[in-house]
Amino acid sequence: MPPVLDIRFHGNLKDLLHPRHRRPGQVAYTLDRRASIKDIIESLRIPHTEIDRITAGEQDVTLAWVPEEGGRVDVFPLAAPVDPTRPTLLRPETVEAIRFLADVNVGKLATLLRMAGMDTATAPGLDDRGLAEKGAAEGRILLSRNRDLLKRGRVVHGHLVRSQDPREQLAEVLALYDLAGKTRPFSRCLRCNTLLQPVAKAAILHRLQPLTRKYYHHFHICPACRRIYWRGSHRLHMERLLATLGHTDGHH
Ligand SMILES: [Zn+2]
């Protein structure tokens, strides 16, 4: 008889398991082939990006650990506040700052993160391999609803976005990385992620619609794509949204 691993999943990792394993959060896994704990856990539907710690008996182990005997393994989720700028046993490779790369399946989340001032790249032309590579090369946290993408070995830091609602997704990400108080609404271009610069009204007057020209006096411009921003209704809407998420706007 091959040995059996008694794998116990903790916290929100249980919700990611197949429904038959979900309630107990426990899987009896038969070791009938040689595989890393990463491969074993991912075969149970949980991307490695969601895991904070793995222990075998009393010992912390890495994702590359290959179990050869039966026994108990505990798998713990990443939980707020997550700080990917500090090394851990599972992720010795850190990022310089909290910056994101958003998959196309969370496109609206990407726009909301930019509205909140978070550095959020997108790359609609890239396939999964390209996205994983870009995230790793640029030290960005990959945000996606695609588990297979996040299972890729090249992905270091990532988050499987749980909610399907963009506003809830924003709350989810801001809470996970403890970004409360770090939001800077409307400091970044929604179209291309570049930091905005103030611009004199006179310099852009020819580009403004009559009502905007009449009622607004303070403008910003994106130095990359030249899009113009002013304090319109969508901006007030965003400030209200951030306020409901418990974030204060210290920027204006
Ligand atoms: Zn722009």
Side-chain angles (χ1 to χ4, degrees):
M1 288 285 287
V4 174
L5 270 191
D6 171 18
I7 312 178
R8 314 276 177 101
F9 292 92
H10 296 268
N12 62 27
L13 294 179
K14 294 180 187 183
D15 305 331
L16 301 178
L17 291 167
H18 187 281
R20 72 170 172 269
H21 298 310
R22 215 167 273 171
R23 193 190 295 256
Q26 190 174 352
V27 178
Y29 187 93
T30 304
L31 289 172
D32 51 7
R33 66 186 176 107
R34 197 181 152 79
S36 69
I37 196 69
K38 174 183 184 293
D39 288 348
I40 292 170
I41 290 170
E42 292 188 335
S43 75
L44 298 168
R45 302 184 170 189
I46 298 177
H48 68 88
T49 51
E50 307 313 296
I51 301 166
D52 179 42
R53 276 182 74 204
I54 306 169
T55 60
E58 302 293 301
Q59 294 287 319
D60 274 76
V61 295
T62 67
L63 290 164
W65 175 62
V66 177
E68 281 163 2
E69 298 162 21
R72 177 167 168 168
V73 170
D74 286 89
V75 186
F76 301 93
L78 277 176
V82 174
D83 182 1
T85 66
R86 306 178 73 131
T88 63
L89 182 64
L90 255 53
R91 290 177 198 87
E93 215 175 308
T94 57
V95 296
E96 263 177 52
I98 305 278
R99 302 187 306 157
F100 299 105
L101 172 60
D103 195 357
V104 284
N105 56 33
V106 288
K108 285 183 178 159
L109 169 62
T111 304
L112 289 176
L113 281 167
R114 286 176 182 168
M115 276 193 198
M118 299 298 151
D119 185 338
T120 308
T122 52
L126 292 184
D127 62 6
D128 282 7
R129 178 197 294 262
L131 275 175
E133 189 55 47
K134 182 179 170 71
E138 297 181 6
R140 292 179 179 274
I141 300 163
L142 185 53
L143 301 173
S144 180
R145 294 205 19 99
N146 176 357
R147 298 189 194 205
D148 289 335
L149 169 59
L150 295 172
K151 287 177 182 177
R152 286 180 170 265
R154 194 74 181 96
V155 177
V156 183
H157 297 278
H159 172 60
L160 179 68
V161 177
R162 310 298 211 279
S163 175
Q164 302 201 40
D165 174 75
R167 284 144 198 259
E168 287 176 18
Q169 292 174 345
L170 177 66
E172 182 182 320
V173 171
L174 293 181
L176 184 64
Y177 297 101
D178 194 24
L179 298 171
K182 294 174 190 159
T183 59
R184 293 194 58 192
F186 291 88
S187 57
R188 204 169 274 281
C189 181
L190 302 186
R191 184 191 284 162
C192 76
N193 194 42
T194 307
L195 283 171
L196 301 179
Q197 294 174 349
V199 64
K201 187 176 180 180
I204 51 157
L205 205 58
H206 61 286
R207 292 183 54 192
L208 301 178
Q209 298 293 321
L211 287 177
T212 310
R213 199 181 286 191
K214 183 169 177 189
Y215 291 113
Y216 295 95
H217 307 287
H218 299 286
F219 296 87
H220 283 75
I221 193 165
C222 172
C225 75
R226 313 306 291 172
R227 188 171 172 181
I228 296 168
Y229 293 84
W230 63 93
R231 193 185 181 89
S233 61
H234 67 301
R235 174 169 181 158
L236 294 171
H237 187 67
M238 180 66 192
E239 285 169 356
R240 216 172 292 135
L241 171 63
L242 288 173
T244 63
L245 296 177
H247 302 270
T248 52
D249 175 9
H251 186 45
H252 296 281

